[in-house]
Structures are given as C-alpha cells and as structure tokens.
Amino acid sequence: MYDPSAVEAKWQTWWEENGTNEPDLDAAERPFFNLMMYPYPSAEGLHVGNLYAFTGADIYGRFRRLRGDDVFEPIGYDAFGIHSENHALKVNTHPMELIPSNIRNFERMLRAAGLMTDWSRTVDTTDPRYYRWTQWIFVQLFKAGLAEKKEAAVNWCPKDQTVLANEQVIGGLCERCDAPVEQRMLSQWFFRITDYAQRLLDNLEWIDWSETTKTAQRNWIGRSDGARLHFPLAGAAGGDGDRIEVFTTRPDTLFGATFMVLAPEHPLVERLTTDERRDEVETYVRAAAAIDLVERQKADEREKTGVFTGGYARNPATGEDVPVWVADYVLMDYGTGAIMAVPGHDERDFNFAVDFGLPIVEVVRSRASLPEGADPRHVPPEEDVAAFVQHTSDEILINSGRFSGMEADAGGRAITEWLAGNDLGGSEVNYRLHDWCISRQRYWGPPIPIIYCDDCGAQAVPEEDLPVILPYVEDFRPTATGVSPLARDAAFHATTCPACGSAARRETDVSDTFLDSGWYFLRYPSTEFDDRPFDAERTRKWLPVSSYIGGEEHSVLHLLYSRFLTMVLSDLGHLDFEEPYDRFRKHGLLIREGAKISKSRGNVILPDEYIERFGADTFRMYLMFLGPFQRGGDFRDSGLAGPERFLKKVWDSVTAAAESGRKGFDDPDVERALHAAIRQITEELEALSYNTAIAAAMDYLNAVRFGGRTASIDEVRPLVVLIAPIAPHVAEELWARLGGASSLFDHAEWPTWDEGKLAVDEVELPVQVNGRLRATIRVARGAPEEVVREAALAEAKVSRQLDGAQIRKVIHVPDRMLNLVVA
C-alpha cells in the first residue's frame, strides 16, 4: 500500500546522505543554473504561495536534469529588512535571536516539500560572510561615483519610521504596512540608477522574459521624448543667460504658453518676486511647505491655488513676456520644478487660467475642423475654449507663426531645432525613473560602509576592513527623528578616518534589503570562497542564471535593481555579462475558494498540515494542477482528492507490473498512447504548462488500466520518469521497485517518442441516417462500433437529423459505413 510519509522520509534521507542534489560545479559538462526567488524567513513559516513558486521552479529543474543537464538549484534566506525587524519588535525578541529560529523552521518545511535543493550552498543575508560582500558592492559603486549622499525629498513611512524607495510606495501607501507615506527632506545615500535608464530600457528588447514583466519595467523607467526649453527672465530680474528651464513632451504647443508656474521650492522664486508681492508669496511658500508632498502629488484631486510673483519670463517663441506664478501642484522633484502653462491644451493649466483670469490661446487643432480656406496663422478661438486637443493623427499647428500649418509632431521638432539654433532649447529625453534611495534608518540591515571625517569628508571603509559588523544593540527600536538606532551605540560609530587617521564617525544608516537580494544569485556558486564575492571561473561557467521563476510583484523592485547592479559590476570589470537572467518567467497567484489569500481574511494556507495528511507529492501535484502555472488558480481542499487518487493508481499499476514481470507491448493503442503522452508532457513541461502535463499523464494511466488490464513494465516505467519532476519521492520508490538503479534522477533517461508510433491508420467512413448520406468521418481502421457511433453523433449534420428522434437500429460495416435507423 502506498504510504506517502514513509516513502518521502526515506528518499529525503537518501538524497541528503548521498548528496544527490549537490552537483560538482567544476566538473559539470552541461551547467544549468535553476534559480527560484529566495524567501524572507517569516515567523509564520513557509506559506502556500512560497511553495507554489518553489514547486514550479523545482519541476522545471528536475525536468532539465532528467534531460541531461547538470542542474544547480540553490536556495537561501532574505533575512534582513523591515518585515523581520517589525515582527521582532512585536514579539519583543531581538532579531539576532528570532531570525535564526525562523530560518531553521523554514529549512525544515522546505526539505519536507521535496525540493531538489543543494543545501551545501545556502546563503543567509544576515551572515557577515555574506553581507561583507554586500558592503563590498556598495564600496565599488561609491568609488565609481555611482553612490552619493544628497539631500532630497524622500518617502517616509511614519509607522515603520524609515525612508522608502519610490518603488516601495503603492498608491501613496507603504507597500509593507499600508501606512500613508509622508515626504521629508533628508540627506540620504542614493545609487545613480538613472545613469543606466536607457540601457535598462534597451535590453528589454532582447532578454527572454515574461512580456508583462518587461512592460512593467518599461512603464516604470518611463522614457519621455521631448524638449528642454529656456524662458529668459524679463524685466528687473533678468540678466545675461538667466532663464527658467522647463521640460515638455509637447514643444508643438509653445506658442500657446501664456504663463509659467514654479514649484514653491524653486530657487528662482525669491529672485522673481517683486517687493509689492513678497509678503503674499512668502506666506504662500511657507504654507506649501507645511503640506505633505504626497498630498501635493494629488494635483487632479485638489483645489488649485497659487500666487503671482510679480515677475515675468519671455516666451522664446512669441517674444512676449508671460507672468510667472508659484503653485503647490508643481513639484521640485519632478522635471525641472517649473512648467510652461498651455491652458488651451492642458486641462490642469486651463482650470488654473480660468480661476486666475489668465489668457488662453489655441495653437493646435484638427485639420478637419478648420474652416474652409482659413489661414492657420490666424485662426479664431473655438466657441468651446475647453475643447482640449487629445493628439489626433490629423492635428496641425495654428496661431504659431511660421510653423502654422505644419503637422503637429513635425512642427514640434521644427520648433525645437529652431530654438536650439538660437541657444533657447533643444531635444531631451527624460525618464520617470528616479535614483535608488539606499539608506534605511533602521537597525536590522547591513551597515553602510562609509566613514565621515571632518577633514577628508566621506570615505569608503577599506575593503580589507570589511565587513562592518552589525553590533548587538539591545534597544533597536526605530525613532521618528530619522536617526538610525545604530547612532545610540557610541562604540560602533566612533572610529578613525582611513585617509588621515583622525577621529571620525561611521555612517549609522543601514542599506536597503533590496541591495542584499540584488546580487545573491552571484554568490551561490562561490559560497566556499571567503576572499572574493564570486569566483571568476565559477561565475563564467554558471552565470547568467539559466532559468529564473518568481513573482510579478518583484518586476520593478528586485528585478530592476538586480539588472542595474549586474550592469555596474560588468562595467567595472567584475562580470563578463550585463544581464543577470537568461530567462525569467513569472508565476501566477493563488486564491482560496474565490477570495484573495490574506491574514485579515483568515484563509492563509500553511503547507505543513497538507503535507502531513496527503504527502508532499500529492500536494505538489495539486498545486500545479490548479490551473496554468503562469496564471495561478483557486485552492480548494476538495481538489486534493484527484491527485491523491492518481498517485495511488500509479502505485498500484507499477507495483502490479513489477510483480508480474511482464514486459513489452501487447496493445498497439496503449503503445500509441504512451508516445503521445511522452510528446505532450515533454512539450508542456518545457512551456511550464504543468496542469496540462499532469492531465496527459492521467489520460495515459487511464489507457493503461482500461478494462481492468494489468500493465507491463515497459508500459509504466516511462510513466514513472514522466511524473518524476512533479512527484519525485514516489517516482524514486517506484523506479527502484522496477529494478532501476538509485537515484532515478542520476540514472534514468527522459523518454523519447517515435513519430511513427503516433501515426494512426485511418479510414473515411460514410454516415447515413435512414439510408441517406449525411456526413463523412475519419476513424481508426478497425474502430469498434461504439467508437464509430460516438464520432458520428459528434457531427453537427448528423445530430441535426436526430433532434427529437430515437435511434431504432445501428447498421455498422467495419471500415465501410454506418447507418442510423431512426423513427
């Protein structure tokens, strides 16, 4: 009788004792790096979402191994960060004590799941032997000028009391705790990822990734092609070369710019403000500073406010002086902190112009809407002045001087070239992507390896002095001041300058956990080396990653950052490739009985109880049978019965075949079904279509067992190999019972199909109803009457003749004809 717990315990022990999942990284002839996104070790333990992702990746790795690849499948723990620290605060346990316990529990659960993991190369981001090299990477970027400290408006989570990267703010809320995010001006460390924006964008054209993931990255990088235009200051504020600069994607509308708006923080506000306007402007600027920047970003939802500075700038196209206003809907952190306002073609500018009585000029219109014979240089305004142009294909410039009548896009380019020739602007590309804020004002993370000296400035910790060890700080609670808890440890932050030897102080911020995960895959093949982050020869052999499977939620954070770090390390000569993953595929998400899985709903699924009751193989198979792996599925407890029955039938059929000792094929239909199953399962596993691969295996088993027949060894041995990636424990046991050398994954070969065996000798058969020909069907030569009749009834022309009628008699001449007599 099939006993999953006994079988799985036996083979997990065998794998561990024999090191069957630990490939020789130096001797491997066909290296295949199969990577899964490593988890953070939460106190709750491994949840079903983790196991869904890991199982999908593991199946693909086992499949490639059975096809002859030397598969390396490591795993580790993303154990630093806010989530782990917050839980430690909640349970009043120091993270240095809590996290190792969580990791031990995770490893127990991962081993129970039957993953093909090389446990000898596990990484833990909280281990100084690992974060030494995280700090080393920071130092490399610092030396290359790609890590810099600057004061900027940053996202501040008041609940987690730390800075967040832009990518960690979702709809104005902290992506970890859902608290409303505030904006603060703080001095923070940034990685200059914007220097790599275009390369990150360009490479998306050729990397083999899920298209939705590439689209998410394109949108986040957000390239905008436009122009930087110069509006010279006018009047008393003006001077040689003094100007307001704006970036616009619509230079074609420049002739319609009738006023300008500056952010309250813009450095030219004070200079442009006239004496009679100063009190009002300063009052407004102070009030704007008190408004949270997240609230200011909701420009479309808030009432427009603003004040006139009293100053003017000259529109470089018209030569006219236009008033300069200050308004809090313009943000210093976006673009240049100034906009040219074109109320005739922008709804926000229109509303502002109406509220404050500013002029509105139309400069773009659909050619079809122009009055016949109208001069495009002098077109009267539309009656509906709020009819904004939405960039139609036939729009042209009007009221735009010598550019009038030109197609809008071409006119915009011509205006930009004209301005460039007069040193009043030029083409420019902007990106939505901002530099990566790397500082965190928390305790649980790798200290940023920087030393501050009053004489020498910021100095990188010498590489030979790494790692900067995270000390045990008993009071590790964050503060609302923006100062890291490490600042409370005088013994930590007091040090000497590596350049001059004077008294100095350490940086007390820690780095973002996404830096930990941005390079972890590089460490796996080189874990035994303590004198380098990644061995050159090992890295050359095993990287880039052959296959990476993970969640869509990481498409902007982890995946973008790891691409950036790989490019930097390549540019600095540490790697000979610039994209980290040859292939990335996203997996879908699970729901439970129609509802999203979450703690608040009380429907979180922990695998332990299911694995204990049904076994890991049944649970793995069920998860993959829920639906297409890349889309996800609906978890229902009742669904486990199907995979459980299937594996029991496989067990019974294989053990019966082994006992009988019979070999060969005595039924050509079964042999044909086997080759069809081999082809389909092979193709479906390669495409990660695990649910249909399982269905094909079930269909084949039904063919083998049809009519109560006992299978031969040759009929079931290939089936054991075919299901091995999905149900590895039972496959190992049945392989051994069929006389195979252990382990199956070391000795079995993936079955191949014979196209000749798939061919079916068919005949065309006329189908009559009451003696009249109604259809012609194709069936296998020698097909029995019940098969022919079923095929005939499936034909629409036949079924229409039988509507409401009763079949009285069936006349079947094998391979010749079928006649249905109805009344």
Side-chain angles (χ1 to χ4, degrees):
M1 185 180 71
Y2 174 41
D3 181 355
S5 59
V7 169
E8 290 169 9
K10 170 185 173 180
W11 286 101
Q12 288 170 18
T13 300
W14 197 96
W15 295 335
E16 176 67 19
E17 292 177 350
N18 291 275
T20 189
N21 297 329
E22 301 173 11
D24 186 329
L25 298 187
D26 296 317
E29 295 180 359
R30 292 177 54 178
F32 188 90
F33 192 164
N34 189 51
L35 184 66
M36 55 188 74
M37 288 186 175
Y38 68 170
Y40 68 83
S42 64
E44 297 84 1
L46 185 73
H47 60 77
V48 74
N50 295 135
L51 192 55
Y52 181 76
F54 298 157
T55 300
D58 185 65
I59 289 170
Y60 191 67
R62 289 183 179 277
F63 169 63
R64 294 298 298 245
R65 181 171 171 180
L66 285 167
R67 302 199 75 184
D69 291 327
D70 296 298
V71 178
F72 176 43
E73 188 175 291
I75 203 164
Y77 304 101
D78 190 12
F80 268 139
I82 291 174
H83 189 282
S84 296
E85 184 178 328
N86 283 350
H87 187 74
L89 289 166
K90 180 180 179 180
V91 299
N92 198 28
T93 303
H94 199 281
M96 286 191 177
E97 301 165 3
L98 177 67
I99 300 305
S101 173
N102 290 352
I103 287 176
R104 288 191 295 272
N105 186 43
F106 253 68
E107 182 168 331
R108 174 192 64 78
M109 299 176 78
L110 287 166
R111 287 179 180 273
L115 303 181
M116 192 176 66
T117 301
D118 183 349
W119 292 104
S120 69
R121 296 188 173 276
T122 302
V123 301
D124 170 4
T125 60
T126 68
D127 186 337
R129 291 173 298 175
Y130 180 85
Y131 70 72
R132 169 187 181 180
W133 302 113
T134 303
Q135 294 171 338
W136 176 88
I137 289 174
F138 187 102
V139 170
Q140 305 315 302
L141 270 74
F142 177 77
K143 290 179 177 178
L146 292 169
E148 61 180 356
K149 194 169 191 181
K150 58 185 178 181
E151 185 164 316
V154 294
N155 305 302
W156 178 265
C157 176
K159 183 175 180 181
D160 287 333
Q161 295 185 345
T162 190
V163 166
L164 303 175
N166 289 336
E167 294 84 354
Q168 293 168 298
V169 180
I170 310 298
L173 304 178
C174 173
E175 57 100 18
R176 289 198 179 274
C177 69
D178 286 338
V181 172
E182 302 171 357
Q183 294 280 319
R184 290 189 178 184
M185 293 296 295
L186 292 175
S187 183
Q188 300 287 289
W189 283 99
F190 290 85
F191 282 168
R192 292 173 54 184
I193 191 174
T194 52
D195 288 7
Y196 284 75
Q198 192 58 48
R199 271 171 74 183
L200 290 166
L201 196 61
D202 289 343
N203 284 12
L204 293 173
E205 297 302 315
W206 60 265
I207 58 177
D208 182 14
W209 283 28
S210 298
E211 195 56 41
T212 54
T213 305
K214 294 200 289 186
T215 297
Q217 292 208 359
R218 287 190 187 99
N219 292 340
W220 190 259
I221 296 169
R223 175 179 168 129
S224 296
D225 291 274
R228 181 179 285 259
L229 307 181
H230 306 159
F231 285 69
L233 301 188
D240 186 27
D242 293 329
R243 62 203 185 192
I244 299 173
E245 295 188 356
V246 301
F247 173 81
T248 178
T249 59
R250 294 293 305 272
D252 55 311
T253 64
L254 176 59
F255 281 79
T258 60
F259 62 98
M260 302 194 73
V261 184
L262 303 182
E265 304 85 2
H266 198 288
L268 287 175
V269 169
E270 182 177 358
R271 180 172 174 181
L272 281 162
T273 301
T274 59
D275 290 341
E276 60 270 23
R277 307 292 303 169
R278 191 163 303 280
D279 288 346
E280 186 178 1
V281 170
E282 289 180 350
T283 299
Y284 184 85
V285 168
R286 285 195 299 271
I291 303 173
D292 186 79
L293 287 181
V294 173
E295 183 65 24
R296 284 176 57 188
Q297 289 171 348
K298 302 175 182 178
D300 294 336
E301 303 173 16
R302 299 176 62 242
E303 179 183 355
K304 299 295 181 295
T305 63
V307 292
F308 176 41
T309 64
Y312 291 83
R314 183 163 295 118
N315 184 319
T318 65
E320 297 177 358
D321 291 346
V322 297
V324 181
W325 287 65
V326 177
D328 61 17
Y329 75 85
V330 179
L331 305 177
M332 195 63 214
D333 222 23
Y334 287 81
T336 65
I339 65 166
M340 66 174 202
V342 185
H345 303 286
D346 181 274
E347 186 172 6
R348 183 181 58 182
D349 295 344
F350 173 82
N351 292 332
F352 192 92
V354 170
D355 288 347
F356 294 101
L358 295 166
I360 300 170
V361 176
E362 185 184 11
V363 293
V364 178
R365 189 182 291 185
S366 166
R367 186 184 297 274
S369 69
L370 281 178
E372 187 175 351
D375 182 351
R377 293 172 298 176
H378 306 289
V379 178
E382 292 267 20
E383 290 185 10
D384 180 6
V385 293
F388 309 107
V389 172
Q390 299 299 320
H391 233 9
T392 59
S393 60
D394 71 333
E395 66 189 32
I396 62 170
L397 300 188
I398 61 172
N399 302 325
S400 298
R402 61 185 173 130
F403 302 99
S404 299
M406 295 184 68
E407 181 269 332
D409 287 338
R413 290 191 295 271
I415 289 172
T416 302
E417 291 171 5
W418 172 59
L419 293 175
N422 292 281
D423 196 28
L424 290 170
S427 298
E428 184 169 289
V429 175
N430 269 8
Y431 299 91
R432 178 176 181 263
L433 180 69
H434 286 169
D435 283 336
W436 175 9
C437 182
I438 206 77
S439 301
R440 296 295 180 270
Q441 294 68 43
R442 298 292 294 244
Y443 167 70
W444 194 235
I448 291 177
I450 291 292
I451 293 173
Y452 299 102
C453 173
D454 290 339
D455 296 324
C456 305
Q459 301 287 311
V461 173
E463 293 178 22
E464 61 271 19
D465 293 341
L466 297 176
V468 178
I469 298 293
L470 179 69
Y472 185 97
V473 175
E474 186 169 347
D475 180 12
F476 61 92
R477 292 181 178 276
T479 67
T481 63
V483 178
S484 168
L486 287 177
R488 296 195 286 264
D489 186 346
F492 170 78
H493 63 73
T495 187
T496 57
C497 173
C500 70
S502 300
R505 59 199 177 279
R506 292 190 186 277
E507 171 64 73
T508 56
D509 283 356
V510 298
S511 61
D512 180 12
T513 186
F514 282 101
L515 178 56
D516 304 340
S517 62
W519 76 279
Y520 76 110
F521 55 94
L522 296 170
R523 184 62 179 164
Y524 278 134
S526 301
T527 51
E528 75 267 41
F529 298 106
D530 290 329
D531 61 343
R532 67 207 93 159
F534 32 84
D535 179 71
E537 189 59 36
R538 286 273 182 84
T539 302
R540 193 173 297 113
K541 184 165 188 170
W542 285 94
L543 276 296
V545 170
S546 308
S547 174
Y548 197 16
I549 291 175
E552 181 77 357
E553 69 273 17
H554 297 295
S555 59
V556 168
L557 291 161
H558 161 59
L559 291 174
L560 188 64
Y561 291 158
S562 63
R563 292 182 62 214
F564 162 65
L565 292 176
T566 304
M567 286 182 180
V568 171
L569 292 171
S570 176
D571 287 352
L572 298 179
H574 299 296
L575 300 173
D576 58 7
F577 54 91
E578 66 173 36
E579 285 292 341
Y581 318 116
D582 278 344
R583 183 175 98 151
F584 172 78
R585 294 292 183 269
K586 75 173 186 72
H587 61 73
L589 296 176
L590 297 183
I591 58 175
R592 185 170 195 178
E593 297 183 346
K596 181 181 177 181
I597 297 174
S598 68
K599 292 181 186 177
S600 61
R601 296 176 186 269
N603 63 351
V604 172
I605 304 167
L606 300 179
D608 271 355
E609 59 182 287
Y610 292 96
I611 290 176
E612 183 177 347
R613 178 180 171 188
F614 296 98
D617 284 341
T618 292
F619 197 56
R620 286 166 59 106
M621 181 168 284
Y622 173 62
L623 290 178
M624 296 301 102
F625 199 46
L626 283 172
F629 179 63
Q630 296 185 69
R631 290 215 304 264
D634 191 352
F635 188 101
R636 298 177 183 272
D637 288 8
S638 58
L640 283 138
E644 182 183 38
R645 284 193 303 269
F646 170 70
L647 289 181
K648 286 180 178 179
K649 289 178 181 178
V650 172
W651 178 276
D652 292 342
S653 296
V654 174
T655 53
E659 291 171 1
S660 73
R662 187 169 63 85
K663 296 185 177 182
F665 295 88
D666 58 13
D667 186 336
D669 289 336
V670 172
E671 187 174 16
R672 186 181 303 113
L674 172 62
H675 286 267
I678 294 171
R679 180 174 67 177
Q680 183 176 356
I681 293 171
T682 302
E683 293 173 349
E684 304 288 21
L685 291 183
E686 183 59 47
L688 309 186
S689 298
Y690 301 138
N691 59 323
T692 48
I694 294 168
M698 291 177 171
D699 288 343
Y700 174 63
L701 184 64
N702 288 336
V704 168
R705 294 167 59 91
F706 184 75
R709 65 189 301 277
T710 298
S712 71
I713 291 175
D714 292 330
E715 290 171 341
V716 293
R717 191 195 303 273
L719 177 61
V720 170
V721 180
L722 291 170
I723 67 168
I726 302 164
H729 307 88
V730 69
E732 288 273 37
E733 181 65 23
L734 294 176
W735 172 261
R737 294 191 177 211
L738 290 171
S742 295
S743 152
L744 175 153
F745 293 97
D746 289 331
H747 298 281
E749 293 184 1
W750 188 256
T752 57
W753 70 88
D754 182 343
E755 289 288 348
K757 299 287 187 181
L758 293 173
V760 178
D761 187 8
E762 293 183 332
V763 295
E764 285 194 352
L765 200 98
V767 178
Q768 300 174 351
V769 178
N770 289 340
R772 296 185 64 180
L773 180 65
R774 296 300 181 184
T776 301
I777 59 175
R778 296 185 64 86
V779 294
R781 187 177 297 278
E785 179 182 309
E786 59 268 24
V787 172
V788 175
R789 176 177 171 172
E790 183 178 350
L793 294 176
E795 286 289 324
K797 292 180 179 178
V798 175
S799 62
R800 281 199 298 266
Q801 298 297 319
L802 303 179
D803 187 23
Q806 183 177 2
I807 299 175
R808 298 293 188 183
K809 185 177 182 182
V810 177
I811 302 171
H812 175 232
V813 180
D815 299 336
R816 298 291 299 276
M817 61 86 70
L818 180 76
N819 182 26
L820 303 176
V821 180
V822 301

